[in-house]
Amino acid sequence: APAPAPAPAPAEAPAAATTAAADGGEVGKSVYNKTCALCHSAGVAGAPKPGDKADWGPRIAQGDATLYKHAIEGFTGPDGGIMPPKGGNPALTDEQVHATVDWMLANSK
């Protein structure tokens, strides 16, 4: 009788997902502390502070894709607040920016 092939896949998937989530969280936190906290921790130029549900609510409602786009390309908000491209650090990769947005969202919902 053939061995059931589906059994190993489900066992591996959660482990891989957990590892990716843990790594993404650490990358996001590190990038936030080195680059983003300068403005976001103090609310400079209207930057939403992590953990401030009122600040983040309308932004979260726009969807992750919009938040990634604004964080990578830069954005001027309706209140005149400015998000510089990649937080002013062009050396960041898109993946690092995504991880940081994800980390900030996870701490702001």
Side-chain angles (χ1 to χ4, degrees), residues 1 13 28 50-51 55 63 67 76 85 93-94:
D55 264 0
L67 295 175
T76 301
T93 66
D94 289 359

Side-chain angles (χ1 to χ4, degrees), residues 79-102:
D79 59 358
I82 296 172
M83 169 66 198
K86 296 186 176 182
N89 184 353
L92 293 174
T93 66
D94 289 359
E95 291 75 22
Q96 288 172 312
V97 175
H98 282 211
T100 307
V101 169
D102 291 344

Side-chain angles (χ1 to χ4, degrees), residues 49-91:
K49 299 176 191 174
D52 188 326
K53 291 174 178 38
D55 264 0
W56 278 100
R59 290 168 171 94
I60 291 169
Q62 295 176 347
D64 291 356
T66 298
L67 295 175
Y68 295 146
K69 183 179 193 310
H70 290 172
I72 291 168
E73 297 177 6
F75 178 73
T76 301
D79 59 358
I82 296 172
M83 169 66 198
K86 296 186 176 182
N89 184 353

Side-chain angles (χ1 to χ4, degrees), residues 10-59:
E12 293 170 16
T18 301
T19 301
D23 291 348
E26 287 305 309
V27 168
K29 182 178 181 181
S30 174
V31 171
Y32 174 82
N33 287 333
K34 291 176 185 169
T35 301
C36 312
L38 184 64
C39 293
H40 281 275
S41 66
V44 173
K49 299 176 191 174
D52 188 326
K53 291 174 178 38
D55 264 0
W56 278 100
R59 290 168 171 94

